[in-house]
PDB file of all heavy atoms in Angstrom:
ATOM      1  N   LYS C  86      18.867  20.582  16.567  1.00 81.00           N
ATOM      2  CA  LYS C  86      17.933  20.381  15.426  1.00 81.00           C
ATOM      3  C   LYS C  86      17.744  18.926  15.050  1.00 81.00           C
ATOM      4  O   LYS C  86      16.600  18.422  14.955  1.00 81.00           O
ATOM      5  CB  LYS C  86      18.403  21.167  14.239  1.00 81.00           C
ATOM      6  CG  LYS C  86      17.630  20.880  12.950  1.00 81.00           C
ATOM      7  CD  LYS C  86      18.255  21.608  11.766  1.00 81.00           C
ATOM      8  CE  LYS C  86      17.572  21.209  10.471  1.00 81.00           C
ATOM      9  NZ  LYS C  86      18.163  21.829   9.283  1.00 81.00           N
ATOM     10  N   ASP C  87      18.862  18.181  14.806  1.00 89.00           N
ATOM     11  CA  ASP C  87      18.723  16.817  14.282  1.00 89.00           C
ATOM     12  C   ASP C  87      18.039  15.898  15.291  1.00 89.00           C
ATOM     13  O   ASP C  87      17.226  15.047  14.931  1.00 89.00           O
ATOM     14  CB  ASP C  87      20.086  16.281  13.869  1.00 89.00           C
ATOM     15  CG  ASP C  87      21.116  16.327  14.997  1.00 89.00           C
ATOM     16  OD1 ASP C  87      20.910  17.088  15.972  1.00 89.00           O
ATOM     17  OD2 ASP C  87      22.157  15.630  14.909  1.00 89.00           O
ATOM     18  N   LYS C  88      18.343  16.087  16.589  1.00 93.00           N
ATOM     19  CA  LYS C  88      17.699  15.234  17.593  1.00 93.00           C
ATOM     20  C   LYS C  88      16.224  15.549  17.733  1.00 93.00           C
ATOM     21  O   LYS C  88      15.405  14.643  17.872  1.00 93.00           O
ATOM     22  CB  LYS C  88      18.421  15.434  18.948  1.00 93.00           C
ATOM     23  CG  LYS C  88      19.817  14.869  18.973  1.00 93.00           C
ATOM     24  CD  LYS C  88      20.437  14.927  20.355  1.00 93.00           C
ATOM     25  CE  LYS C  88      21.805  14.267  20.361  1.00 93.00           C
ATOM     26  NZ  LYS C  88      22.414  14.256  21.708  1.00 93.00           N
ATOM     27  N   TRP C  89      15.863  16.828  17.728  1.00 94.00           N
ATOM     28  CA  TRP C  89      14.464  17.224  17.889  1.00 94.00           C
ATOM     29  C   TRP C  89      13.653  16.686  16.694  1.00 94.00           C
ATOM     30  O   TRP C  89      12.540  16.184  16.861  1.00 94.00           O
ATOM     31  CB  TRP C  89      14.359  18.728  17.999  1.00 94.00           C
ATOM     32  CG  TRP C  89      12.979  19.287  18.081  1.00 94.00           C
ATOM     33  CD1 TRP C  89      12.442  20.263  17.305  1.00 94.00           C
ATOM     34  CD2 TRP C  89      11.922  18.930  19.005  1.00 94.00           C
ATOM     35  NE1 TRP C  89      11.178  20.520  17.649  1.00 94.00           N
ATOM     36  CE2 TRP C  89      10.804  19.733  18.706  1.00 94.00           C
ATOM     37  CE3 TRP C  89      11.822  18.003  20.010  1.00 94.00           C
ATOM     38  CZ2 TRP C  89       9.589  19.642  19.395  1.00 94.00           C
ATOM     39  CZ3 TRP C  89      10.615  17.904  20.697  1.00 94.00           C
ATOM     40  CH2 TRP C  89       9.519  18.733  20.397  1.00 94.00           C
ATOM     41  N   GLU C  90      14.177  16.820  15.521  1.00 95.00           N
ATOM     42  CA  GLU C  90      13.448  16.358  14.338  1.00 95.00           C
ATOM     43  C   GLU C  90      13.315  14.835  14.334  1.00 95.00           C
ATOM     44  O   GLU C  90      12.281  14.314  13.886  1.00 95.00           O
ATOM     45  CB  GLU C  90      14.090  16.862  13.056  1.00 95.00           C
ATOM     46  CG  GLU C  90      13.994  18.408  12.954  1.00 95.00           C
ATOM     47  CD  GLU C  90      14.528  18.950  11.639  1.00 95.00           C
ATOM     48  OE1 GLU C  90      15.076  18.183  10.856  1.00 95.00           O
ATOM     49  OE2 GLU C  90      14.421  20.174  11.443  1.00 95.00           O
ATOM     50  N   LEU C  91      14.306  14.149  14.809  1.00 96.00           N
ATOM     51  CA  LEU C  91      14.210  12.685  14.968  1.00 96.00           C
ATOM     52  C   LEU C  91      13.141  12.307  15.980  1.00 96.00           C
ATOM     53  O   LEU C  91      12.339  11.405  15.744  1.00 96.00           O
ATOM     54  CB  LEU C  91      15.569  12.105  15.407  1.00 96.00           C
ATOM     55  CG  LEU C  91      15.588  10.609  15.648  1.00 96.00           C
ATOM     56  CD1 LEU C  91      15.405   9.830  14.336  1.00 96.00           C
ATOM     57  CD2 LEU C  91      16.905  10.185  16.352  1.00 96.00           C
ATOM     58  N   ILE C  92      13.090  13.042  17.088  1.00 97.00           N
ATOM     59  CA  ILE C  92      12.049  12.791  18.105  1.00 97.00           C
ATOM     60  C   ILE C  92      10.670  13.002  17.508  1.00 97.00           C
ATOM     61  O   ILE C  92       9.746  12.208  17.732  1.00 97.00           O
ATOM     62  CB  ILE C  92      12.280  13.728  19.320  1.00 97.00           C
ATOM     63  CG1 ILE C  92      13.534  13.268  20.082  1.00 97.00           C
ATOM     64  CG2 ILE C  92      11.050  13.685  20.262  1.00 97.00           C
ATOM     65  CD1 ILE C  92      13.990  14.277  21.134  1.00 97.00           C
ATOM     66  N   LEU C  93      10.478  14.101  16.791  1.00 97.00           N
ATOM     67  CA  LEU C  93       9.175  14.367  16.181  1.00 97.00           C
ATOM     68  C   LEU C  93       8.776  13.237  15.237  1.00 97.00           C
ATOM     69  O   LEU C  93       7.602  12.787  15.287  1.00 97.00           O
ATOM     70  CB  LEU C  93       9.218  15.679  15.376  1.00 97.00           C
ATOM     71  CG  LEU C  93       9.360  16.996  16.164  1.00 97.00           C
ATOM     72  CD1 LEU C  93       9.513  18.174  15.252  1.00 97.00           C
ATOM     73  CD2 LEU C  93       8.172  17.190  17.098  1.00 97.00           C
ATOM     74  N   GLU C  94       9.684  12.771  14.443  1.00 97.00           N
ATOM     75  CA  GLU C  94       9.384  11.727  13.483  1.00 97.00           C
ATOM     76  C   GLU C  94       9.069  10.422  14.130  1.00 97.00           C
ATOM     77  O   GLU C  94       7.999   9.810  13.911  1.00 97.00           O
ATOM     78  CB  GLU C  94      10.567  11.548  12.504  1.00 97.00           C
ATOM     79  CG  GLU C  94      10.357  10.452  11.492  1.00 97.00           C
ATOM     80  CD  GLU C  94      11.588  10.230  10.622  1.00 97.00           C
ATOM     81  OE1 GLU C  94      12.170  11.221  10.135  1.00 97.00           O
ATOM     82  OE2 GLU C  94      11.963   9.047  10.430  1.00 97.00           O
ATOM     83  N   LYS C  95       9.943   9.942  15.002  1.00 97.00           N
ATOM     84  CA  LYS C  95       9.805   8.601  15.593  1.00 97.00           C
ATOM     85  C   LYS C  95       8.646   8.549  16.556  1.00 97.00           C
ATOM     86  O   LYS C  95       7.928   7.537  16.630  1.00 97.00           O
ATOM     87  CB  LYS C  95      11.097   8.165  16.266  1.00 97.00           C
ATOM     88  CG  LYS C  95      12.249   8.045  15.293  1.00 97.00           C
ATOM     89  CD  LYS C  95      11.890   7.123  14.097  1.00 97.00           C
ATOM     90  CE  LYS C  95      13.030   7.108  13.055  1.00 97.00           C
ATOM     91  NZ  LYS C  95      12.593   6.373  11.840  1.00 97.00           N
ATOM     92  N   CYS C  96       8.439   9.577  17.348  1.00 97.00           N
ATOM     93  CA  CYS C  96       7.364   9.601  18.323  1.00 97.00           C
ATOM     94  C   CYS C  96       5.992   9.771  17.662  1.00 97.00           C
ATOM     95  O   CYS C  96       4.982   9.296  18.151  1.00 97.00           O
ATOM     96  CB  CYS C  96       7.595  10.641  19.399  1.00 97.00           C
ATOM     97  SG  CYS C  96       8.951  10.186  20.519  1.00 97.00           S
ATOM     98  N   ILE C 131       7.248  18.027   9.184  1.00 96.00           N
ATOM     99  CA  ILE C 131       7.818  16.744   9.527  1.00 96.00           C
ATOM    100  C   ILE C 131       6.775  15.839  10.135  1.00 96.00           C
ATOM    101  O   ILE C 131       6.620  14.660   9.801  1.00 96.00           O
ATOM    102  CB  ILE C 131       8.997  16.935  10.504  1.00 96.00           C
ATOM    103  CG1 ILE C 131      10.192  17.579   9.772  1.00 96.00           C
ATOM    104  CG2 ILE C 131       9.433  15.621  11.115  1.00 96.00           C
ATOM    105  CD1 ILE C 131      11.313  18.025  10.705  1.00 96.00           C
ATOM    106  N   ASP C 226      17.162  12.134  22.871  1.00 94.00           N
ATOM    107  CA  ASP C 226      16.354  11.541  21.832  1.00 94.00           C
ATOM    108  C   ASP C 226      16.027  10.074  22.142  1.00 94.00           C
ATOM    109  O   ASP C 226      14.902   9.621  21.965  1.00 94.00           O
ATOM    110  CB  ASP C 226      16.998  11.680  20.438  1.00 94.00           C
ATOM    111  CG  ASP C 226      18.421  11.285  20.402  1.00 94.00           C
ATOM    112  OD1 ASP C 226      19.076  11.271  21.444  1.00 94.00           O
ATOM    113  OD2 ASP C 226      18.962  10.933  19.312  1.00 94.00           O
ATOM    114  N   THR C 227      17.010   9.346  22.661  1.00 95.00           N
ATOM    115  CA  THR C 227      16.776   7.987  23.079  1.00 95.00           C
ATOM    116  C   THR C 227      15.785   7.889  24.219  1.00 95.00           C
ATOM    117  O   THR C 227      14.832   7.086  24.187  1.00 95.00           O
ATOM    118  CB  THR C 227      18.101   7.304  23.553  1.00 95.00           C
ATOM    119  OG1 THR C 227      19.105   7.477  22.555  1.00 95.00           O
ATOM    120  CG2 THR C 227      17.895   5.834  23.829  1.00 95.00           C
ATOM    121  N   ILE C 230      12.134   8.664  22.894  1.00 96.00           N
ATOM    122  CA  ILE C 230      11.566   7.610  22.100  1.00 96.00           C
ATOM    123  C   ILE C 230      11.275   6.351  22.915  1.00 96.00           C
ATOM    124  O   ILE C 230      10.187   5.761  22.859  1.00 96.00           O
ATOM    125  CB  ILE C 230      12.507   7.258  20.914  1.00 96.00           C
ATOM    126  CG1 ILE C 230      12.612   8.459  19.967  1.00 96.00           C
ATOM    127  CG2 ILE C 230      12.001   6.023  20.147  1.00 96.00           C
ATOM    128  CD1 ILE C 230      13.741   8.356  18.965  1.00 96.00           C
TER     129      ILE C 230
END
Side-chain angles (χ1 to χ4, degrees):
K86 172 186 173 182
D87 55 342
K88 290 186 177 183
W89 176 234
E90 294 186 355
L91 178 67
I92 289 168
L93 291 175
E94 178 184 314
K95 298 308 176 186
C96 289
I131 290 170
D226 48 338
T227 307
I230 295 167

